[in-house]
Amino acid sequence: MADRSGSSTLVWLAILIGALVLGIGVIGYAVISRQADAELPRSIDVDINVPRPPSLPDAPRIPDAPLPTPK
């Protein structure tokens, strides 16, 4: 069988580099999200004035149905 004496060092190095990249990503996300929250206003006052549309004419009236005659 082959001797694998040096492979455990490579695994630990990959885990360490992965943890560092993950930590940098978490810290970067926290910094960016904090800056985004700081730039947003706390309240917004919106006043929208829209002209009233003209009124629609009345629809044509449908005549009443004739009453049935008793037999």
Side-chain angles (χ1 to χ4, degrees):
M1 296 189 109
D3 186 19
R4 297 178 139 191
S5 62
S7 65
S8 66
T9 306
L10 191 59
V11 170
W12 284 109
L13 184 62
I15 291 173
L16 179 65
I17 291 173
L20 287 173
V21 169
L22 185 65
I24 290 170
V26 168
I27 291 171
Y29 177 76
V31 168
I32 290 173
S33 66
R34 220 179 260 171
Q35 286 177 353
D37 288 343
E39 294 172 4
L40 295 177
R42 296 294 177 205
S43 65
I44 299 174
D45 185 23
V46 178
D47 186 21
I48 300 174
N49 295 318
V50 180
R52 176 167 252 157
S55 62
L56 296 174
D58 291 336
R61 190 172 185 291
I62 298 176
D64 294 333
L67 295 174
T69 57
K71 291 186 179 183

